[in-house]
Amino acid sequence: MGRMVDADGVELWVEQRGEGPDVLLVAGLGDPAEAWQPQLDGLADRYRLTAFDNRGAGRSPLPDGPLSVAGMADDAAALLRALQVPTAHITGFSGGSFIAQELALRHPGLVRSLVLMSTMARPDPYFRTMTRFWNWMVERAPDERAMLDAFFLWVYTPRAHADGMVDRFIDEALAFEHPQSAEAFQRQLAAFAGHDTLDRLGGISVPTLVLAGELDLATPPRLGRTVAESIPGAVFEVLPGEAHQPFQEVPEVFNARVGAFWREVEALAGGRATRHR
């Protein structure tokens, strides 16, 4: 069951599941904690997973004033402290991966490792044009189903559009009791479109896995590759045949890969602790 948590004065809705090393799951544009359901279900036997609604998504209220990625990273840090989680493996996708980058830069002591899925360091002209289109699309679409129909062209594979998965996701989104307002969508979008860590990523020192979907239109592999090349020691992998949200489309593939990465990080940390005795 989820609950509201006071994260240094910001009310955030939180879901926790499982036992083991701590993992914080950071969602992207418009997505509530439920976006991570395949991970909450599939990894809880080995990890203690925390997912939450970013401010302005799901049940977490939209505050006055502009949103920023740095501010949302501070929210995530405050949430970990409120939950008394000393360090966590941080996994973010899309806008959540931007938040994860800032979290590692602003609050490095809280971050054990990073998984950055569908990520970038600085918007390029294609990305900026795409987000400008999304900004007016959410206002001009004839109804919410039409908006999701259009938006999900950037998010899921042609396979998922063909086999009924996207229709199911749209039905679930329309049935969700806490839909995001157009204003909240636009304000989150403005924050993510303003993300820029390119010149600072060299300051990240934790083990980092950068994943890109081969068919991702929104954050193509070229953008993820730049992130990986900018973080010392980062590993970059392209998931063949996948798009923007493989953690939902092929959760067994995603869960196996991130689980293996976390095991490596834990084993390395254990080895260092043994050597330092």
Side-chain angles (χ1 to χ4, degrees):
M1 286 294 291
R3 60 193 172 102
M4 295 299 286
V5 172
D6 182 331
D8 198 17
V10 177
E11 291 292 310
L12 297 175
W13 175 266
V14 176
E15 281 288 337
Q16 281 192 303
R17 190 85 60 84
E19 293 295 330
D22 277 292
V23 173
L24 182 70
L25 303 167
V26 191
L29 175 64
D31 280 319
E34 283 82 354
W36 295 107
Q37 203 61 51
Q39 286 65 55
L40 293 170
D41 292 339
L43 290 164
D45 59 331
R46 285 156 285 165
Y47 300 96
R48 182 167 69 161
L49 301 140
T50 301
F52 66 104
D53 295 352
N54 286 309
R55 54 167 80 195
R59 289 133 296 208
S60 296
L62 179 71
D64 294 331
L67 293 179
S68 70
V69 177
M72 288 191 274
D74 290 347
D75 291 346
L79 175 62
L80 288 173
R81 293 185 180 113
L83 295 171
Q84 298 183 316
V85 173
T87 64
H89 298 290
I90 311 297
T91 294
F93 84 88
S94 193
S97 77
F98 309 168
I99 295 168
Q101 292 171 32
E102 287 284 9
L103 182 60
L105 289 165
R106 296 169 70 82
H107 305 275
L110 293 172
V111 179
R112 198 167 175 82
S113 73
L114 283 177
V115 175
L116 304 173
M117 175 79 242
S118 308
T119 196
M120 69 168 187
R122 176 180 290 163
D124 65 2
Y126 183 100
F127 187 92
R128 285 196 295 269
T129 302
M130 179 186 73
T131 55
R132 284 198 300 271
F133 169 55
W134 291 355
N135 193 66
W136 61 255
M137 179 178 72
V138 72
E139 286 182 3
R140 311 286 178 82
D143 55 47
E144 196 177 350
R145 181 177 290 275
M147 156 60 190
L148 294 171
D149 243 345
F151 183 43
F152 286 174
L153 290 171
W154 275 268
V155 172
Y156 298 110
T157 58
R159 176 188 73 232
H161 285 269
D163 68 12
M165 181 179 280
V166 169
D167 289 333
R168 192 175 80 249
F169 286 158
I170 289 174
D171 288 342
E172 288 172 2
L174 293 174
F176 185 56
E177 292 180 358
H178 309 277
Q180 189 177 43
S181 69
E183 181 200 359
F185 178 92
Q186 289 171 323
R187 286 174 58 194
Q188 276 199 342
L189 179 62
F192 293 143
H195 166 71
D196 187 345
T197 49
L198 186 59
D199 298 333
R200 294 180 285 136
L201 289 177
I204 292 177
S205 58
V206 295
T208 301
L209 174 65
V210 179
L211 297 174
E214 179 193 19
L215 306 181
D216 187 352
L217 296 173
T219 51
R222 59 191 160 76
L223 298 180
R225 186 182 302 278
T226 300
V227 171
E229 288 171 349
S230 302
I231 297 174
V235 174
F236 178 65
E237 293 177 14
V238 176
L239 302 180
E242 298 308 324
H244 193 59
Q245 299 195 183
F247 62 96
Q248 293 177 331
E249 287 199 47
V250 285
E252 64 289 344
V253 172
F254 181 85
N255 291 356
R257 183 63 194 95
V258 299
F261 173 68
W262 295 332
R263 281 196 302 279
E264 282 173 39
V265 174
E266 295 287 335
L268 279 171
R272 278 199 301 271
T274 303
R275 284 198 303 276
H276 291 155
R277 275 181 194 150

